Amino acid sequence: MKQIIIALGCLIYVGNAAATSVGEYMARASDCVACHTAQGGQPMAGGKKFSTPVGDIYATNITPDKTAGIGNYSYEDFEKAVRQGIAKDGHALYPAMPYPSYAKMTDADIHSLYDYFMKEVPPSDVKNKDNDIPWLLSARWPLHVWNWLYVDKTQPETKAIQPDDKNAILLSRGAYLVEGPGHCGACHTPRGVTMQEKGYDASSDVYLSGAMIDGWYAPSLRDITMPSEELKDLLRMGRSQHSAISGPMSEVVTQSTQYLTDSDLDAISYYLLNFNHRNPTPVATDGSIVYSPTDGKILYSMYCSTCHGDDGKGKDFTVPSLANNSVVTAKDPSSLISVINQGAETPQTQGNISFKMPAYKEIMSADEMTNVVNYVRGTWGNGAPQVKKDDVANMEDAAK
Ligand code: HEC
Ligand code: HEC
Ligand code: HEC
């Protein structure tokens, strides 16, 4: 009897270890769930709202339910939606769905995604919401033009890589994950007038050069200076020895990158650290600033130093260092101001609890906030340009 139980235990264990199919893994790497799930809703059943310059749109139900979801999609229908942005009935999808990035995914990965959605995702009969785009703009045909302009259907060139060229293998896998399924550019690349990203791969000078997203600044990933191990820690657990993730990036970590294998994280960090070093982010200068370094220092000691330390160095793996931190030194201070206004929390990942930073919007005036912001931007060798009180006040209003 005992033997049988042990044997059963082994079976269950093996079953669990093999539980993640390639399709599920690719769905994680592509973070489909982030957009196709409403807050508190069933995964992939849709309903999450996206505010775009032309109005609100809602992600759809992509569970295999035959009426509410995509249960009637053939593989060809699915492929057209995910890689070309065309729904089963022929209408063009809004580019909030990052199909220009998914266009780079291989046939094999799209096939495994399809199998996963059809066989493993539980169906849900939640109906799709109508989009709130004014009627004049809601005609979807101009999107076909958009499609034609920006979707590059060619997959990344698979140059003949020598099997012993470790770096070339890392670079090519990293490029695939970041530019394809990971769609990192959807937040980190600036967008042009028609909402297209200004570049979809490393051949563009502005690819991953930093952009605003929902009141946060997704910093440039073109000039990261942290060691590869720290970058991997950030993507795996949302924090590293000197840094931490916050805002919209937290969701990326909790729902996507924490599940990537160690070798895929190696590939992503190798790619990010090597794809380009030509374009350091330009630093803006500005005149009219009211900043009192003494007040800044006093406020910092009162409100921040218990956790971040007088030296700004924080505590390894718990409180991020504010010295040489990209959120603090970014040319656009939005993320820094948002963190102080709203507080922050390190993402909770497998085996890691989260650490909280309090919100200060009710506690500090705009003057005080400006002084603290400029203090941390100007101290410990940070040397970031100073911020005007108006910028801080605008962000505070937006947060209220
Ligand atoms: C950044 C947000 C985002 C991500 C990530 C995303 N989607 Fe979407 N997706 C959307 C939105 C928004 C729509 C609706 C667009 C519209 O109505 O024009 C959509 C539409 C679709 C459709 C068309 C559905 C229909 O009802 O016809 C399919 C299929 C789809 N997505 C599949 C996926 C898959 C598979 C993934 C992961 C590989 C994914 N999406 C990732 C935002 C996203
Ligand atoms: C939904 C929007 C979004 C997506 C998608 C996204 N990011 Fe981010 N990312 C952000 C924001 C906002 C920040 C700034 C907040 C922070 O640093 O915690 C950020 C910060 C980062 C940082 C920290 C930079 C630093 O110097 O400290 C790294 C590294 C990063 N992202 C990598 C990635 C990678 C790799 C991907 C694709 C797998 C990705 N991001 C996809 C929004 C996003
Ligand atoms: C109770 C401890 C605590 C206090 C007090 C505190 N912080 Fe934090 N802070 C944290 C923790 C923990 C994080 C990591 C959360 C995250 O970003 O995921 C953090 C994150 C940050 C970040 C984002 C860093 C990054 O890499 O994403 C900035 C900037 C920051 N704090 C500045 C400040 C300033 C300025 C003050 C004072 C007004 C302050 N903090 C007060 C604990 C604290």
Side-chain angles (χ1 to χ4, degrees), residues 278-309:
R278 283 172 300 168
N279 261 22
T281 314
V283 173
T285 48
D286 207 322
S288 54
I289 293 157
V290 198
Y291 166 46
S292 154
T294 324
D295 288 355
K297 190 172 173 117
I298 294 169
L299 289 160
Y300 180 84
S301 316
M302 257 165 71
Y303 291 125
C304 323
S305 67
T306 3
C307 296
H308 291 282

Side-chain angles (χ1 to χ4, degrees), residues 30-32 35-36 60 73 81 93-94 96-98 102 117 140 183:
S30 319
D31 210 357
C32 314
C35 297
H36 284 279
T60 48
Y73 272 50
L93 300 176
Y94 288 104
M97 161 81 184
Y102 295 154
F117 275 95
R140 286 175 181 257
H183 67 278

Side-chain angles (χ1 to χ4, degrees), residues 182 184 187-188 216-219 221 231 244-246 248-249 252 272 326-327:
C184 311
C187 296
H188 287 274
W216 292 78
Y217 185 70
L221 302 178
L231 190 49
I245 290 300
S246 44
M249 187 65 201
V252 177
L272 290 179
S326 69
V327 171

Side-chain angles (χ1 to χ4, degrees), residues 117-188:
F117 275 95
M118 293 303 142
K119 294 180 194 148
E120 292 180 55
V121 172
S124 152
D125 57 7
V126 174
K127 297 225 162 36
N128 286 330
K129 284 196 175 139
D130 285 338
N131 296 332
D132 304 329
I133 297 199
W135 66 271
L136 197 63
L137 289 166
S138 74
R140 286 175 181 257
W141 63 266
L143 287 167
H144 283 295
V145 180
W146 192 96
N147 254 341
W148 174 74
L149 283 172
Y150 300 110
V151 180
D152 177 2
K153 289 180 200 112
T154 50
Q155 288 166 10
E157 214 180 309
T158 32
K159 272 187 259 134
I161 294 172
Q162 300 304 321
D164 56 349
D165 189 346
K166 257 184 84 184
N167 290 348
I169 293 168
L170 280 174
L171 194 65
S172 119
R173 178 69 180 166
Y176 180 69
L177 291 166
V178 169
E179 297 172 4
H183 67 278
C184 311
C187 296
H188 287 274

Side-chain angles (χ1 to χ4, degrees), residues 216-217 219-220 223-226 230 234 238-246 300 308 311-315 318-333 335-337 339 344 346 357 373 376-385:
W216 292 78
Y217 185 70
S220 171
D223 43 17
I224 297 177
T225 52
M226 68 184 95
E230 286 208 20
L234 273 185
R239 58 178 194 270
S240 66
Q241 193 173 357
H242 299 112
S243 195
I245 290 300
S246 44
Y300 180 84
H308 291 282
D311 56 3
K313 289 211 179 106
K315 294 186 186 75
T318 313
V319 180
S321 167
L322 302 181
N324 191 22
N325 178 311
S326 69
V327 171
V328 177
T329 57
K331 73 177 167 184
D332 184 317
S335 292
L336 173 60
I337 298 168
V339 169
T346 51
M357 148 150 173
V373 164
V376 297
R377 282 168 78 83
T379 315
W380 316 301
N382 280 343

